[in-house]
Amino acid sequence: MCGIFGYVGTRDEAPQLVLAGLKKLEYRGYDSWGIASRQNEQAFARLLVEKHTGKIGQAMTSLPASHAALGHTRWATHGGVTQANAHPHLDCQGRLAVIHNGIIENHTELRRELLAKGHTFASQTDTEVVCHLMEDDIRDETSTQDGCERLVQALMRVFRRLDGLSAVSVLDPQERCIVAAKNGSPLVLGYSQDGNYLASDSSALLEHTRRLTFLDDGQAALLSADGIRVYDATSGLREADTRIWDITWQEEVEGLDGFPHYMTKEIHEQPAVLRRLAAESSAQAQRLADEIQQASTVHFVGCGTASNAARCGEYLFSRIASRQANCVVGSEFGYLADFLDERSLVVGFSQSGETIDLLDSLKSAGRRGARLAALVNVEGSSLYRLVDHPILLLAGAERCVLATKSFTAKLGILLMAAYATQGRLEEGRALLQRAADEIQSFLTDGRVEQVRELADRIADAQHLYVIGRGPSYPMALEAALKIKEVSYIHAEGFAGGELKHGVIALVERGSPCIVLAPNDETFRSILSGAEEIKARGGYIIGISPCASDVWDEHIKVADVGEGASIVHAVPPQILAYELALRRGLDPDKPRNLAKSVTVK
Ligand code: F6R
């Protein structure tokens, strides 16, 4: 959470570069934003700062030309959404600008200590303690090191005093450099001919450079126009070796490509992503299948939408591969990890590869000797680097805060891997191809218009229910999650069989209820559930290849066998998007959410 972007180099439009970088990172948090830059060509270089509440949108920066700037887009943790709490934060002299992603757990004690020394605080944030700690450290430091080296050494000393998981970066206009340190929250460094960059996600750097270093936990960095130095933040010593990656990861198409929002653009990219996986990921799917076959126990772990993909995988492996995989949400996995050993396989599911609950789960599994694999979208992300066997989702950058194409991409790999365990990889690949074709037809043959008209009718609903059985149960959870997080309609997904155990009490006359009904062994039973809801006045929306009298609205999809879950994911995604539009909401940036959840 929170986006960080910095530049120092020979180009003199640093504030504009930083603003453009923040726009690309805004999905990490959009409560407020700010930029600090070094005023150029002054005998005594000054810090210039602008801060704003709300989303960046089409904002321009009023900061003048500069060769160094540092910016931040905030997802609030400590302190409300106010201009004072927006980053960057300054020390008492207004000399240093500090931005931060994460939580400083001992900020209360540090603030008390700093207040007692006479510092004044301008915000309620935990971040501001770093400004004043840096101020004291630099004032008391008598070393003869060059200015940038002194700055990075000061940051490392301060960083060692912070508890919790953070990424911190500092701009001192007296020095032509930016310094940074991280523990837990991601930071990526980018090398280019005309300067060097810093960002919390690689996706924001790729238009400038593909030569990246991913800082490890406990490392610090010094960026100047001439180069980048990496340090061990505990010892303060330069790292002997710094790996520079050459990233091959591609965006699908840069920008909105004519679509009004990233959410609908990314929904429409799904056929291409699934076809790419079918064409290019057979070896990866086979390798995952082999790992699963060799393991004594298999655990699928993810958070939010990724956990719904993981749970769907649990069903697919049971049905297709007769293989048990245990699905657990990332935040709970640690409480269930005692039985893991070196014969266990833990597979992490993540778009960003930076979700802290997931990373913690996999690290604890690794400490117990378990083998680690991942289905992950971002090449070079913390998860990608952590596991023995990373499988890329090949979905391209996902900019909408809601996960869509990264979700169906995970299902695509799982489908192929489940078949691969049976020596039937080709069958899995063909099904994935068919699913991609059906989604392509759905998006182009008029059925989207049907979903739009449905959205017109139910946009004022207060509650909405989704039911499914078997693999359609996690798909019901996912459909409800999509609808609630973007339209703010209270939507709940249930296992169809659970209805009679309590949920049915919620159904009222006109309550919209989506029924996921693939043409499989769940069909008859889920239809009974639909009848029971209808008998109590519910408005039944069937997503199914099969006709039925119980449907008040039938969204017909093709029967693609075990690929049904992938196809059934799409109509609820479109419905969620259309509901958000009708309720006047921004589908790409729902309230209170951030794409990459790097705090506990
Ligand atoms: C929902 C959504 C979230 C994420 C979750 C995990 O649309 O996007 O529920 O799926 O925060 O994120 P990743 O996949 O990046 O680990």
Side-chain angles (χ1 to χ4, degrees):
M1 301 174 133
C2 297
I4 293 174
F5 196 95
Y7 169 77
V8 53
T10 53
R11 295 171 71 173
D12 69 358
E13 74 272 35
Q16 290 71 24
L17 289 173
V18 167
L19 179 64
L22 293 183
K23 286 180 179 173
K24 286 203 151 181
L25 292 171
E26 205 182 8
Y27 55 71
R28 297 183 65 89
Y30 31 85
D31 290 332
S32 61
W33 62 279
I35 302 175
S37 76
R38 176 185 191 278
Q39 192 177 25
N40 277 352
E41 316 310 342
Q42 301 285 318
F44 186 79
R46 282 198 310 136
L47 196 61
L48 300 175
V49 177
E50 69 169 310
K51 306 211 264 188
H52 306 270
T53 54
K55 296 173 187 168
I56 303 177
Q58 300 307 312
M60 313 280 275
T61 172
S62 54
L63 293 172
S66 169
H67 295 295
L70 187 59
H72 184 271
T73 172
R74 179 173 188 240
W75 188 83
T77 59
H78 295 70
V81 179
T82 62
Q83 196 171 341
N85 288 335
H87 299 215
H89 294 286
L90 309 184
D91 62 325
C92 296
Q93 313 298 317
R95 174 185 159 164
L96 299 167
V98 174
I99 58 170
H100 166 230
N101 170 22
I103 293 177
I104 300 169
E105 288 170 1
N106 56 338
H107 74 101
T108 311
E109 301 87 298
L110 293 171
R111 182 181 274 251
R112 207 176 295 129
E113 173 191 318
L114 289 158
L115 285 170
K117 287 183 175 173
H119 288 273
T120 50
F121 279 75
S123 78
Q124 302 157 308
T125 63
D126 52 347
T127 307
E128 201 184 336
V129 298
V130 178
C131 313
H132 301 290
L133 289 170
M134 288 288 293
E135 184 179 11
D136 280 359
D137 189 290
I138 288 170
R139 192 186 47 224
D140 299 344
E141 173 61 29
T142 54
S143 89
T144 53
Q145 288 164 326
D146 79 65
C148 288
E149 187 64 32
R150 282 177 60 183
L151 190 66
V152 74
Q153 291 296 338
L155 177 62
M156 288 189 279
R157 282 189 292 275
V158 167
F159 196 68
R160 294 196 281 269
R161 297 200 59 195
L162 310 180
D163 293 342
L165 302 178
S166 290
V168 182
S169 184
V170 181
L171 174 69
D172 178 348
Q174 305 307 311
E175 319 300 343
R176 287 175 181 265
C177 60
I178 292 173
V179 297
K182 83 140 215 153
N183 187 21
S185 303
L187 272 184
V188 190
L189 314 173
Y191 304 76
S192 86
Q193 297 290 343
D194 52 19
N196 294 301
Y197 295 84
L198 168 82
S200 38
D201 266 350
S202 56
S203 62
L205 296 176
L206 295 181
E207 69 175 281
H208 303 292
T209 175
R210 292 187 164 269
R211 297 185 65 233
L212 307 180
T213 287
F214 297 87
L215 273 193
D216 284 333
D217 286 347
Q219 286 188 321
L222 187 165
L223 292 83
S224 66
D226 304 327
I228 296 179
R229 295 182 209 160
V230 176
Y231 299 78
D232 177 322
T234 310
S235 65
L237 298 174
R238 285 274 300 272
E239 296 280 11
D241 279 324
T242 300
R243 174 161 181 199
I244 301 178
W245 297 60
D246 218 341
I247 293 297
T248 54
W249 200 64
Q250 296 289 345
E251 264 197 285
E252 204 50 43
V253 178
E254 173 76 31
L256 281 166
D257 193 28
F259 288 92
H261 299 99
Y262 281 106
M263 183 172 178
T264 181
K265 175 181 181 241
E266 289 162 6
I267 288 172
H268 281 78
E269 283 170 355
Q270 290 176 110
V273 173
L274 298 173
R275 285 183 186 128
R276 190 179 307 136
L277 287 173
E280 297 175 19
S281 297
S282 293
Q284 295 282 41
Q286 184 63 60
R287 186 148 166 229
L288 177 63
D290 295 344
E291 294 261 10
I292 287 174
Q293 291 292 71
Q294 283 157 25
S296 62
T297 58
V298 178
H299 309 270
F300 289 166
V301 192
C303 301
T305 287
S307 82
N308 293 332
R311 192 166 297 286
C312 191
E314 190 180 16
Y315 283 96
L316 292 178
F317 272 87
S318 166
R319 286 155 71 105
I320 300 165
S322 303
R323 187 74 173 86
Q324 203 229 335
N326 176 32
C327 169
V328 189
V329 294
S331 52
E332 289 297 312
F333 187 73
Y335 309 119
L336 290 167
D338 290 345
F339 47 80
L340 295 176
D341 60 28
E342 56 287 343
R343 290 166 306 138
S344 311
L345 173 71
V346 180
V347 186
F349 290 62
S350 179
Q351 190 286 130
S352 63
E354 301 294 350
T355 301
I356 193 71
D357 285 330
L358 180 68
L359 291 172
D360 280 359
S361 296
L362 268 79
K363 283 177 190 165
S364 77
R367 283 193 293 274
R368 289 166 198 277
R371 277 192 67 73
L372 306 179
L375 271 56
V376 56
N377 198 31
V378 179
E379 185 182 354
S381 60
S382 301
L383 180 64
Y384 183 93
R385 288 176 289 130
L386 175 70
V387 301
D388 308 303
H389 179 33
I391 298 180
L392 283 174
L393 299 175
L394 307 184
E398 195 176 58
R399 296 212 178 280
C400 175
V401 165
L402 283 79
T404 53
K405 60 179 178 172
S406 65
F407 176 68
T408 45
K410 291 185 194 103
L411 300 186
I413 292 173
L414 288 166
L415 183 70
M416 288 200 293
Y419 276 98
T421 59
Q422 303 303 294
R424 294 159 62 198
L425 176 61
E426 274 312 305
E427 212 175 310
R429 240 166 54 84
L431 273 178
L432 183 55
Q433 186 67 51
R434 272 179 58 203
D437 292 346
E438 164 58 4
I439 294 172
Q440 181 78 57
S441 306
F442 193 95
L443 293 170
T444 48
D445 67 6
R447 282 178 282 175
V448 170
E449 194 48 46
Q450 183 193 0
V451 178
R452 288 196 183 118
E453 286 165 13
L454 172 64
D456 286 338
R457 289 199 293 284
I458 65 171
D460 293 330
Q462 293 196 333
H463 309 280
L464 186 151
Y465 308 104
V466 192
I467 58 170
R469 282 173 173 261
S472 297
Y473 162 47
M475 301 311 294
L477 298 180
E478 174 59 12
L481 178 60
K482 282 291 89 82
I483 290 167
K484 77 179 122 189
E485 66 184 332
V486 73
S487 73
Y488 314 154
I489 293 174
H490 168 236
E492 293 294 337
F494 300 104
E498 282 294 291
L499 269 182
K500 297 177 284 296
H501 302 291
V503 180
I504 204 157
L506 296 172
V507 174
E508 295 171 344
R509 180 147 304 280
S511 299
C513 180
I514 298 175
V515 180
L516 302 177
N519 182 21
D520 65 9
E521 78 278 14
T522 67
F523 184 72
R524 293 175 76 91
S525 313
I526 202 71
L527 227 54
S528 305
E531 294 282 6
E532 289 154 13
I533 297 169
K534 193 173 174 118
R536 285 152 183 90
Y539 179 75
I540 309 296
I541 303 152
I543 299 181
S544 177
C546 310
S548 166
D549 291 343
V550 75
W551 310 140
D552 293 306
E553 175 85 31
H554 180 198
I555 299 175
K556 193 167 172 19
V557 287
D559 182 0
V560 291
E562 295 293 359
S565 299
I566 300 174
V567 168
H568 286 211
V570 176
Q573 292 173 347
I574 299 167
L575 181 63
Y577 172 74
E578 296 293 335
L579 287 170
L581 295 187
R582 277 148 191 77
R583 292 165 73 98
L585 303 170
D586 178 350
D588 286 343
K589 299 188 182 79
R591 69 182 175 207
N592 304 338
L593 295 177
K595 189 147 187 76
S596 194
V597 183
T598 54
V599 295
K600 285 263 183 191

